[in-house]
């Protein structure tokens, strides 16, 4: 019962500290999409060029030849949390493209045992109820070729919806901006997330909140604030693709993921913290792909007070045939970071094959 109450209070606490700068607000939007990208430790900002570019860098949508769709599913925390993603993108003309994507991160069927004991002190299991918590991110993307040769830009408009059972829910809005430049097989990219900050407004059911105020003595005695702000982040990427004997390719990519605050990233200051990521993709005849990457470099304090650098290695496989691509990624291979490993599957389809 204590564990269930703790989970409940954890979700409720997500709504606290209104109008404060929250470093980890809407963090589910930073997990990533597409098993191919995750297998390369997300080092795809400079090279991305398919339907999933709406997430990684909307400027890459211009590289779509016609129209594409993508799906992904992953489970986290020993299958407690489910992460799902769907996207569609279409070329408008030779100079523009658009896309839309939806992310859901949720925990379903959580036991609410706050009313387990009635007013007379008796345990009544009929008083146990279930609730779910879910985060949704709906993104509309637009990409455009610039007049400068090799440059293209993209813009995302995001709508964030978060629901915690009947206790609280919120709406949020934000924008991203992406830029890409291609020259002589070199690919450069810049992604600015939440450039205007993403503003979330919570609505809290006060009657429901009163029911849990005394679930744990001394906890949740004051009504949480109702607003929060997600601060901007930046990602800078560079990539190059090498070809060998026409049948083999090697894509090498590097990302610098930046937050404008001091964090546990391996490079950290009061002005900016940087988490580097490196990814590789080996391909054969544009049919079979083997991927590997390493990222999420963090300074983690040990029990003896010393600091150790942890990192997250990932691997992945991909198969592509007649416009249909299926990818798999295993994240945190070898358990070298604080994150839990996950098996991730995704599929991408070039819809022009059905015409």
């Amino acid at each position: 019962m204590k564990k269930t109450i703790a989970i409940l209070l954890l979700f409720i606490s997500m709504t606290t500290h209104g109008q404060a700068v929250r470093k980890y607000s809407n963090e589910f939007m930073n997990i990533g999409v597409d098993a191919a990208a995750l297998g390369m430790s997300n080092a795809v900002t400079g090279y991305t060029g398919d339907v999933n570019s709406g997430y990684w860098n909307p400027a890459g949508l211009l590289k779509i030849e016609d129209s594409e769709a993508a799906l992904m599913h992953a489970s986290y925390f020993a299958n407690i949390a489910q992460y799902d993603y769907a996207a569609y993108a279409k070329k408008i003309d030779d100079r523009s493209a658009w896309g839309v994507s939806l992310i859901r991160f949720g925990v379903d069927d959580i036991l609410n045992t706050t009313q387990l004991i009635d007013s007379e002190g008796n345990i009544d299991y009929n008083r146990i109820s279930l609730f779910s918590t879910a985060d949704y991110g709906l993104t509309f993307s637009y990409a455009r070729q610039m007049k400068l040769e090799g440059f293209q830009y993209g813009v995302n408009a995001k709508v964030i919806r978060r629901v915690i059972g009947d206790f609280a829910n919120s709406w949020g809005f934000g924008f991203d901006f992406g830029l890409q430049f291609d020259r002589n097989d070199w690919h450069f990219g810049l992604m600015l997330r939440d450039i205007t900050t993403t503003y979330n407004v919570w609505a809290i059911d006060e009657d429901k909140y009163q029911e849990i105020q005394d679930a744990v003595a001394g906890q949740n005695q004051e009504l949480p604030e109702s607003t929060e702000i997600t601060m901007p982040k930046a990602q800078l990427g560079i990539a190059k693709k090498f070809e060998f004997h026409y049948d083999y390719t090697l894509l090498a990519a590097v990302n610098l993921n930046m937050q404008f605050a001091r964090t546990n990233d391996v490079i950290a200051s009061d002005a900016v913290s940087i988490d580097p990521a490196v990814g590789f993709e080996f391909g054969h005849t544009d049919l079979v792909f083997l991927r590997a990457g390493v990222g999420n470099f963090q300074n983690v304090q040990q029990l003896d007070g010393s600091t150790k650098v942890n990192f997250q290695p990932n691997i992945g496989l991909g198969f592509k045939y007649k416009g249909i691509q299926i990818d798999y990624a295993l994240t945190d291979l070898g358990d070298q970071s604080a994150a839990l490993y996950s098996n991730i599957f995704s599929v991408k389809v070039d819809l022009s094959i059905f015409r």
Side-chain angles (χ1 to χ4, degrees), residues 106-308:
V107 179
D108 299 308
D109 297 331
I110 303 171
L111 291 176
N112 179 4
T113 61
T114 59
Q115 306 302 309
L116 178 62
I117 301 176
D118 61 24
S119 58
E120 298 180 357
N122 299 314
I123 295 178
D124 184 356
Y125 292 101
N126 293 322
R127 295 167 63 90
I128 296 177
S129 59
L130 299 176
F131 73 98
S132 298
T133 177
D135 300 330
Y136 301 88
L138 178 63
T139 301
F140 300 93
S141 306
Y142 176 77
R144 182 77 178 176
Q145 184 75 42
M146 299 177 67
K147 292 183 179 180
L148 294 173
E149 183 180 357
F151 283 92
Q152 54 260 3
Y153 72 90
V155 178
N156 286 340
K158 301 185 294 187
V159 180
I160 308 296
R161 175 65 169 165
R162 307 182 69 185
V163 180
I164 305 176
D166 296 329
F167 303 98
N169 64 84
S170 77
W171 289 97
F173 303 92
F175 294 91
D176 303 329
F177 175 80
L179 184 69
Q180 281 188 337
F181 172 67
D182 301 324
R183 177 65 61 86
N184 299 329
D185 295 326
W186 285 93
H187 308 274
F188 305 87
L190 174 66
M191 179 63 168
L192 303 176
R193 297 187 182 275
D194 304 298
I195 55 174
T196 59
T197 71
T198 294
Y199 193 75
N200 289 75
V201 179
W202 285 89
I204 301 170
D205 189 317
E206 295 188 24
D207 293 334
K208 288 289 185 180
Y209 187 80
Q210 289 177 357
E211 294 178 1
I212 68 166
Q213 279 186 312
D214 297 321
V216 177
Q219 298 292 324
N220 294 321
Q221 298 303 304
E222 297 182 4
L223 192 68
E225 299 289 348
S226 59
T227 57
E228 61 185 15
I229 297 173
T230 305
M231 293 299 291
K233 300 181 181 68
Q235 295 171 324
L236 182 64
I238 180 173
K240 183 175 175 60
K241 193 170 187 177
F242 304 89
E243 294 187 4
F244 306 95
H245 307 295
Y246 302 101
D247 291 334
Y248 300 94
T249 60
L250 176 64
L251 173 64
V254 177
N255 250 41
L256 297 178
N257 305 310
M258 294 171 278
Q259 300 186 61
F260 301 102
R262 181 178 288 275
T263 68
N264 288 334
D265 290 340
V266 68
I267 303 172
S269 69
D270 291 335
V272 62
S273 298
I274 302 175
D275 169 28
V278 180
F280 299 93
E281 178 187 78
F282 177 77
H284 175 58
T285 63
D286 199 31
L287 178 67
V288 181
F289 305 91
L290 176 64
R291 306 180 181 97
V294 60
N296 195 22
F297 290 89
Q298 301 287 306
N299 291 314
V300 179
Q301 188 171 14
Q302 306 300 301
L303 293 177
D304 60 3
S306 63
T307 300
K308 177 183 177 182

Side-chain angles (χ1 to χ4, degrees), residues 8 15-16 28 41 52 57 70 166 184 215 231 242 244 255 271 280 283 295 301 317 331 339:
L8 173 62
T15 68
T16 60
F28 77 101
S41 293
N52 301 301
N57 188 337
D166 296 329
N184 299 329
M231 293 299 291
F242 304 89
F244 306 95
N255 250 41
F280 299 93
Q301 188 171 14
L317 294 170
T331 66

Side-chain angles (χ1 to χ4, degrees), residues 3-64:
K3 291 183 179 180
T4 305
I5 293 175
I7 293 174
L8 173 62
L9 296 180
L10 172 63
F11 287 118
I12 294 299
S13 69
M14 293 166 60
T15 68
T16 60
H17 306 298
Q19 291 186 335
V21 175
R22 296 174 59 83
K23 295 180 182 178
Y24 305 107
S25 174
N26 296 331
E27 196 66 12
F28 77 101
M29 292 294 290
N30 297 322
I31 295 175
V33 303
D34 180 28
L38 294 170
M40 296 178 62
S41 293
N42 306 342
V44 297
T45 303
Y47 186 77
T48 181
D50 58 19
V51 61
N52 301 301
S53 298
Y55 177 89
W56 294 112
N57 188 337
L61 291 175
L62 279 174
K63 298 175 182 177
I64 294 175

Side-chain angles (χ1 to χ4, degrees), residues 79-117:
N79 293 325
I80 294 176
Q82 305 301 316
Y83 183 72
D84 296 288
Y85 159 79
Y88 172 81
K90 182 177 177 60
K91 199 75 171 283
I92 299 175
D93 52 39
D94 290 339
R95 298 184 60 86
S96 58
W98 71 276
V100 61
S101 63
L102 177 65
I103 291 174
R104 180 188 186 272
F105 185 82
V107 179
D108 299 308
D109 297 331
I110 303 171
L111 291 176
N112 179 4
T113 61
T114 59
Q115 306 302 309
L116 178 62
I117 301 176

